[in-house]
Amino acid sequence: PEDKLLWKIEWKDIVSDGGWVSKTDFDNMQEMNCISIGYIYSSGVENIKIYSSYSVDERGVYEYSNVTVIPTSVIISKTKL
């Protein structure tokens, strides 16, 4: 990873309920507004990939932790922290 800046990504996620809901509750259901904070691994037309931790072994091999792939179509905003 070249850019080691932290980013705040705001995005919308699917909401579902596997049980019974009233008409009123169903009418009031909305997507969930989510916030993810991490380092950008890659960003393209289809998605953005972020991670929160990484390590480099003695051979220079990177490993990543807490990785998330977010479709660009659900991203509301990206802010450098």
Side-chain angles (χ1 to χ4, degrees), residues 11-60:
W11 54 286
K12 289 196 177 282
D13 198 6
I14 295 168
V15 171
S16 64
D17 189 324
W20 291 95
V21 296
S22 69
K23 180 183 181 328
T24 302
D25 288 344
F26 198 11
D27 287 342
N28 290 325
M29 286 179 76
Q30 298 291 322
E31 305 92 351
M32 179 67 67
N33 288 328
C34 301
I35 296 174
S36 295
I37 296 175
Y39 302 99
I40 294 178
Y41 177 80
S42 67
S43 181
V45 174
E46 296 289 321
N47 59 51
I48 185 169
K49 296 179 181 182
I50 64 172
Y51 62 94
S52 66
S53 300
Y54 70 96
S55 67
V56 184
D57 69 14
E58 61 280 349
R59 298 168 294 150

